[in-house]
Amino acid sequence: MKTSRSTGRTTKVLRSAALAVLLTTGALTAAPDARGQTGRTETPVASSSPVAGVTETVVRVKAPLPASFGARPAACDWLSYLRYRSAGGPAAAADADRILVAQPGILEGAGAFDSVARNTVARAAGQGRHIEFWALDRRSNCLEDHTGIDSGDQHTAVDYYYRGRQTDGRTFAGFVGNERLGWMAKLGIGQTVRDQYDLLAAELPDQGLRKRKVLCGGHSLGGVVTGYFAAADFDGDRATTADAGYNQCAGYFALDTTVSTSLADLSGSIPDDTDLPDVGLGYGVVQAGLDSGVLPRSLSAPVLLNPETMTLLAIAGLGAVRDPGGEADLPAYLPSGLNIEATNRFLFSKDTAAFLTGSPAVKDFRLTNAAVLGALLDDNSVPLAFLQSSVGFFDGGPIADKSFPVANGGDQRPGLFGTAYRAIPDRPHGPLYTWRDYDRVGDPDDPEYRSADGTPFTGADKEVTDLQELARSLAEQPLDFTEQYFPTKLVTDLELAGSPQVKQLVAHPEGLTANPTLTVLAGDGLLAGRIPADLDPVVADGYQHLDVLTAAPVQNDGRPEPVSAGLTRFARDLR
């Protein structure tokens, strides 16, 4: 079912109304820089989230890159983050009890933190504490164009991004090719942690206050970025430590990751397999390849991991937000093309034969909008561990084992493909397949689908994320959930951690253990079965890698969601 264009107009009205309120109250600020230009903006974000009492804004701070980076869009000289705070709390961040600052994982944007940020802020407010949660966006996300998604309509978004049709007087300039990404050749771990430091110093100028109130952390790759931040020196003088990364934080938090300077704990992430030479010469060769454009400056692949296909997740989210139970026409409405066709086959093929022939294709099945999104991101459907969440299961018709790209059963060690049994609808041109949300799995009317070997595909203890909340995070955020242009240099720097050029960034290795750390791990996530014994982590049973960000505030067993509960407790009790 095509979504309503009036919904998009309603969203714009809500945003305009919220903007007017903030301008009237003075809660929205715009500070002039030395040239009289605006150096900071803060804009309200309208959301249909049911989590009450949380105010969200998108903040942009001007922080120009060095001239050595070369030509780049003007928008890329700004840093952005989503600011979540208690609606009943102080307007000034410096007056909050704590400020959690989160680095995103690989191929992840600030919007991915929406649920855990809201849950944490609301839970703390219920305990009389005013916590702020800042979800950072990497600088390269400046290249993303939200016009199509902001329309609130799936067909309008598809027409804008893939058919060259105008929306609100704008025409999409196209997905950015490698030849236009020269400035990203230098966007590695050094600049990434510098961006975090510059943002914190601009927003919270008092270093003593940062040391008392800020908690630094991240999800997935964000834990490694936090490790480098903690160990960094920002004034060029290692003898002075007020500027050291660890002295900008009162503590650290790691969400399905560890705070470290090693990629060893992230073996479920695709970039771990690049196997670059760990020597100085290797670094120079790789940098030359990035500078020349011989190597791609943005991490991408023909299947799924490229801007053209990552945009589809937000478009699918639109349908699930606006009309979750309506029959989807998105698979049939998408234009044909190599990236989209290969991605559809990879994600929705029952077996190798279906992948090779393209039959049956996803458009041959009748699916609701909710089922389309579930098929793209649920751990019982999508085969890539770092994209998995636990949002429920298919319903409404026969289900079969999904044996492509790997079969169910056998060696179920955590890794690239995860451990969950995968399933797929089994009747093309048949019944309308619906989606059973996380909190209805295990209900009396649940068919309890099983694999051919008798193993249940899922159970109530394995489902933790509300599909509607996930859809809102994908479709309603001004900063994306996914990341279309992930800097290749960020990965190559971390892979070449033993090179002199990267080693010099670890100026204060003692910074990694200088502050208390909270580690929260997904029970079925990237570290499942190999949790470091010395971490004393909070383990969220049944969670997948993304669930630590997206889980619903109340779980199937009636207990509070453990990630936000752990963050709230850590922020409250830290001295």
Side-chain angles (χ1 to χ4, degrees):
M1 179 179 291
K2 187 174 179 180
T3 58
S4 169
R5 295 176 189 267
S6 65
T7 306
R9 290 194 294 270
T10 300
T11 298
K12 291 177 183 177
V13 170
L14 286 172
R15 287 176 178 164
S16 298
L19 176 59
V21 169
L22 286 180
L23 284 169
T24 301
T25 62
L28 183 147
T29 61
D33 65 13
R35 294 177 298 278
Q37 299 173 326
T38 299
R40 181 187 190 275
T41 65
E42 185 167 4
T43 308
V45 177
S47 174
S48 57
S49 171
V51 179
V54 178
T55 296
E56 179 189 0
T57 53
V58 57
V59 181
R60 303 185 192 277
V61 176
K62 194 163 190 179
L65 285 167
S68 59
F69 276 70
R72 56 201 175 269
C76 300
D77 275 337
W78 292 73
L79 300 174
S80 302
Y81 69 95
L82 296 176
R83 179 190 179 199
Y84 298 85
R85 62 183 180 87
S86 169
D95 295 331
D97 295 312
R98 291 283 185 205
I99 304 157
L100 279 64
V101 179
Q103 281 280 355
I106 192 164
L107 299 169
E108 197 169 83
F113 289 97
D114 184 58
S115 288
V116 70
R118 291 180 185 277
N119 294 347
T120 302
V121 170
R123 193 174 304 282
Q127 299 173 9
R129 303 281 290 178
H130 297 299
I131 286 178
E132 293 209 5
F133 195 111
W134 296 2
L136 305 185
D137 218 32
R138 261 184 288 274
R139 189 185 286 266
S140 52
N141 289 343
C142 62
L143 298 169
E144 296 169 2
D145 180 349
H146 285 252
T147 305
I149 302 300
D150 288 346
S151 73
D153 180 79
Q154 282 189 321
H155 284 199
T156 300
V158 171
D159 291 344
Y160 180 75
Y161 293 115
Y162 304 106
R163 292 194 172 97
R165 296 180 185 171
Q166 280 196 348
T167 297
D168 283 345
R170 294 189 62 178
T171 301
F172 184 50
F175 297 106
V176 184
N178 195 50
E179 72 282 355
R180 293 162 57 195
L181 297 176
W183 66 278
M184 283 179 58
K186 296 179 174 63
L187 201 59
I189 186 62
Q191 187 61 47
T192 299
V193 297
R194 166 60 69 176
D195 284 348
Q196 180 172 344
Y197 178 82
D198 288 348
L199 180 68
L200 284 173
E203 295 290 86
L204 301 167
D206 183 346
Q207 182 269 330
L209 182 142
R210 298 196 296 271
K211 180 61 179 171
R212 293 192 308 274
K213 292 191 175 185
V214 172
L215 302 181
C216 304
H219 172 245
S220 191
L221 189 73
V224 180
V225 174
T226 300
Y228 273 90
F229 180 81
D233 181 89
F234 292 105
D235 71 351
D237 183 355
R238 297 190 184 196
T240 61
T241 59
D243 63 289
Y246 67 89
N247 275 325
Q248 317 312 309
C249 319
Y252 311 129
F253 60 94
L255 306 179
D256 208 34
T257 184
T258 59
V259 175
S260 69
T261 55
S262 169
L263 286 174
D265 291 332
L266 299 178
S267 61
S269 296
I270 283 179
D272 297 356
D273 300 325
T274 51
D275 294 328
L276 296 169
D278 195 17
V279 295
L281 176 62
Y283 181 96
V285 170
V286 169
Q287 187 60 56
L290 292 170
D291 288 338
S292 66
V294 171
L295 292 178
R297 288 118 171 195
S298 175
L299 193 68
S300 63
V303 177
L304 187 61
L305 305 180
N306 59 73
E308 183 179 359
T309 52
M310 296 294 270
T311 301
L312 291 177
L313 290 175
I315 296 176
L318 278 176
V321 167
R322 310 308 180 198
D323 189 14
E327 185 167 354
D329 69 352
L330 179 61
Y333 194 73
L334 289 171
S336 60
L338 174 62
N339 280 337
I340 291 175
E341 175 65 20
T343 298
N344 281 340
R345 289 195 191 190
F346 181 75
L347 293 179
F348 211 81
S349 289
K350 176 180 177 180
D351 50 32
T352 303
F355 176 75
L356 293 175
T357 63
S359 180
V362 61
K363 61 186 177 182
D364 295 327
F365 293 84
R366 297 180 61 214
L367 305 166
T368 63
N369 288 309
V372 167
L373 184 60
L376 290 172
L377 287 171
D378 187 68
D379 58 339
N380 297 117
S381 178
V382 68
L384 297 175
F386 69 94
L387 282 176
Q388 292 176 346
S389 56
S390 307
V391 294
F393 198 74
F394 294 108
D395 207 350
I399 298 295
D401 285 84
K402 187 178 187 295
S403 61
F404 180 85
V406 292
N408 289 328
D411 184 1
Q412 292 292 300
R413 291 176 299 177
L416 178 61
F417 300 115
T419 62
Y421 271 52
R422 280 168 288 278
I424 191 168
D426 199 31
R427 290 291 185 274
H429 310 293
L432 177 64
Y433 284 90
T434 59
W435 192 258
R436 180 172 290 268
D437 206 1
Y438 85 105
D439 56 354
R440 293 184 56 237
V441 172
D443 279 2
D445 65 341
D446 187 350
E448 295 185 354
Y449 295 102
R450 292 177 179 265
S451 168
D453 68 6
T455 303
F457 282 111
T458 190
D461 60 334
K462 296 288 188 180
E463 303 300 334
V464 302
T465 291
D466 186 332
L467 184 91
Q468 283 292 100
E469 286 301 290
L470 179 61
R472 290 185 185 101
S473 297
L474 286 161
E476 291 186 348
Q477 291 301 314
L479 303 180
D480 278 347
F481 185 109
T482 57
E483 184 174 24
Q484 296 178 15
Y485 302 97
F486 180 87
T488 302
K489 181 171 169 57
L490 182 52
V491 171
T492 59
D493 278 358
L494 300 179
E495 288 281 2
L496 295 167
S499 67
Q501 295 91 335
V502 180
K503 275 186 174 180
Q504 68 177 343
L505 301 176
V506 185
H508 300 285
E510 72 279 7
L512 290 165
T513 56
N515 296 311
T517 300
L518 170 69
T519 302
V520 182
L521 300 179
D524 294 336
L526 298 187
L527 275 72
R530 54 190 183 92
I531 296 173
D534 60 338
L535 290 182
D536 190 26
V538 173
V539 178
D541 293 331
Y543 279 45
Q544 294 290 351
H545 188 52
L546 284 182
D547 288 324
V548 296
L549 304 183
T550 61
V554 179
Q555 295 293 276
N556 264 327
D557 56 9
R559 290 186 296 182
E561 182 270 305
V563 181
S564 59
L567 288 170
T568 303
R569 185 168 52 250
F570 183 60
R572 180 194 66 207
D573 296 344
L574 188 64
R575 295 289 183 266

